[in-house]
């Protein structure tokens, strides 16, 4: 018990004193996950829009596929990517294994199905009249797409936040393709797992607190934003 | 009176069922056409095709001296014709922003847009609602905002899908009044209706549609007596 108390005190010291290693891990985590979401989101939103608004062959199959891929475990995606990127793998030439780029690719793959599925639901809830109204008032299709995104912004933001929430906390994929290398690919979840397994709780607790604060404030932010929307709608 | 636009050979099937089959449909310039037909006769489908929002299986459009197939006609129709939904959709923004939407899409400057929006809202007696959020309006107010939002763009043709359906009498009168003024301004309007008494008196032409076919197209002279009578009857029955 005493150990845990001491570790908790040490954890706060680490955070508050601006311990370099701890903050480096935190910033790597954020930069990798934010990059992944920033790259995945635009494509996922456009795809979700097409799936919701147009009829084309394989549309239903694609929707089912993304819904299924949502539940593929991170470690399986990590394993697949590992095999692709490993030196003897088909993409081994790129020398990406155990780099933060590999982690970003992994998190893109991980978040993409979730982003598509949730954004698809948001666009489906949108009113078809919104699109027709924008077009008939002279909007070009691209502009009408942005108008529509604005109309369903709450659903889309929820999708992006959920995607970010999934990748910032995932461990399986980052561990496999990142390798948890200090100063290079160690992020919050892999560091927590490693430090704890070594019996050093302070850094693990410090990083855990960060994750918790982040996810609580993200969720609070989204609820606040949505609450505002409901008041107005 | 010359034709504003001619549609030839409109055909469309949805889910394997032939919905519309129209040889020729002419819209006269500066006139008001009333399209009547029962529920499901194809009025909405026809309007969406006419405004370039729904792709028919076949069509040919004569407009401004050009003969166009669907691919050529679609952008032109989307640009010059405005379709108003039976229940208009207003964007999640203020009334003024809604009215401004089309002007901004044309790349007009903020100054000129604001001036026009101010005038347009004044025209429709909606100035007091300018800053109100559009989702908070009544059905009748929404309809009038949507009309204003369309009129401000000075479209060649305005297609109104049952503009007074499911409105109370006062809202109907207010909408009819705006339509009357639009007509006086020379805006070419086509109005659809499945029961319509409120707007009958505006029509110069009357067109019947049954099971996707035009069954009668007559200048209002012939049907005027009936419609006027109907109108009087209705006005009386409401008192
Ligand atoms: N997407 C669709 N798929 C299959 N059938 C459709 C589709 N859209 C419309 N229809 C059918 O086409 C016919 C015409 O519909 P439309 O909405 O044009 O009629 P309407 O005259 O506007 O009716 P209302 O007075 O009820 O508005 C109806 O029988 C309808 O069921
Ligand atoms: Mg209809």
């Amino acid at each position: 018990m005493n150990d845990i108390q001491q570790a908790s005190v040490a954890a706060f010291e680490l955070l508050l004193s601006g311990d370099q290693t701890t903050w480096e891990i935190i910033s790597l985590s954020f930069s990798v996950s934010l990059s992944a979401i920033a790259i995945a989101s635009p494509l996922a939103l456009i795809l979700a829009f097409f799936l919701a608004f147009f009829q084309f062959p394989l549309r239903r199959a694609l929707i089912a596929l993304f819904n299924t891929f949502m539940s593929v475990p991170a470690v399986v995606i990590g394993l697949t990517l590992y095999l692709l990127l490993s030196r003897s793998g088909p993409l081994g030439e790129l020398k990406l294994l155990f780099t933060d780029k590999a982690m970003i690719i992994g998190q893109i793959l991980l978040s993409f199905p979730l982003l598509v599925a949730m954004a698809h639901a948001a666009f489906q809830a949108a009113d078809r009249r919104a699109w027709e109204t924008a077009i008939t008032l002279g909007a070009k299709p691209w502009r009408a797409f942005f108008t529509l995104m604005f109309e369903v912004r709450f659903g889309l933001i929820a999708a992006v936040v959920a995607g970010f929430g999934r990748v910032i906390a995932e461990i399986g994929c980052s561990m496999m393709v990142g390798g948890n290398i200090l100063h290079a690919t160690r992020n919050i979840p892999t560091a927590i797992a490693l430090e704890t397994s070594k019996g050093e709780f302070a850094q693990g607790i410090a990083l855990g607190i960060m994750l918790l604060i982040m996810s609580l404030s993200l969720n609070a932010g989204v609820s606040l934003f949505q609450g505002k929307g409901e008041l107005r709608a | 009176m010359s034709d504003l636009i001619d549609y030839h050979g409109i055909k469309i099937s949805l889910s394997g069922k032939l919905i519309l089959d129209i040889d020729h449909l002419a819209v006269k310039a500066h006139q008001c056409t009333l399209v009547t037909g029962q529920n499901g006769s194809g009025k909405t489908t026809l309007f969406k095709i006419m405004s370039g929002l729904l792709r028919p299986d076949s069509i040919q459009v004569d407009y401004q001296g050009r003969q166009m197939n669907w691919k050529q006609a679609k952008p032109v129709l989307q640009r010059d014709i405005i379709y108003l939904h039976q229940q208009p959709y207003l964007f999640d923004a203020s009334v003024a922003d809604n009215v401004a939407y089309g002007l901004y899409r044309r790349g007009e400057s903020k100054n000129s847009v604001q001036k026009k929006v101010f005038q347009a809202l004044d025209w429709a007696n909606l100035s007091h609602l300018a800053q109100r959020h559009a989702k908070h309006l009544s059905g009748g107010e929404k309809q009038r905002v949507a009309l204003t939002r369309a009129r401000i763009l000075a479209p060649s043709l305005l297609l109104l899908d049952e503009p007074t359906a499911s409105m109370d009498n006062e809202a109907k009168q207010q909408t009819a009044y705006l339509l009357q003024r639009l007509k006086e301004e020379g805006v070419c309007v086509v109005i659809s209706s499945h029961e319509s008494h409120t707007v009958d008196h505006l029509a110069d032409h009357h067109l019947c549609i049954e099971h996707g076919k035009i069954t009668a197209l007559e200048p209002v002279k012939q049907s005027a007596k009936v419609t006027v009578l109907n109108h009087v009857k209705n006005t009386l029955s409401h008192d």
Side-chain angles (χ1 to χ4, degrees), chain A residues 75-208:
Chain A
V75 69
V76 173
I77 290 180
L79 176 65
T80 313
L81 193 58
Y82 181 97
L83 294 175
L84 287 172
L85 294 179
S86 67
R87 212 182 309 162
S88 52
L91 301 176
E93 289 289 291
L94 300 174
K95 295 201 173 21
L96 285 176
L97 197 59
F98 303 137
T99 64
D100 53 350
K101 289 203 184 68
M103 293 165 77
I104 293 176
I105 296 172
Q107 295 195 354
I108 290 174
L109 294 177
L110 201 56
S111 60
F112 198 76
L114 180 70
L115 287 170
V116 172
M118 283 188 70
H120 175 245
F123 278 122
Q124 258 194 327
D127 200 314
R128 191 159 274 277
R129 289 175 305 157
W131 171 262
E132 290 174 343
T133 302
I135 295 284
T136 203
L137 292 174
K140 295 276 170 286
W142 261 110
R143 184 62 227 198
F145 173 62
F146 283 114
T147 300
L148 201 68
M149 288 213 312
F150 180 78
E151 295 296 300
V152 297
R153 61 195 176 282
F154 300 112
L156 296 183
I157 286 168
V160 171
V161 167
F164 182 75
R166 173 158 201 206
V167 293
I168 190 87
E170 73 79 28
I171 180 163
C173 186
S174 295
M175 191 73 104
M176 296 282 311
V177 302
N180 190 31
I181 303 164
L182 188 59
H183 305 310
T185 62
R186 181 171 300 177
N187 65 6
I188 298 177
T190 59
I192 292 178
L194 179 86
E195 297 301 308
T196 310
S197 71
K198 288 197 304 193
E200 287 175 24
F201 296 115
Q203 196 178 59
I205 294 174
L207 294 170

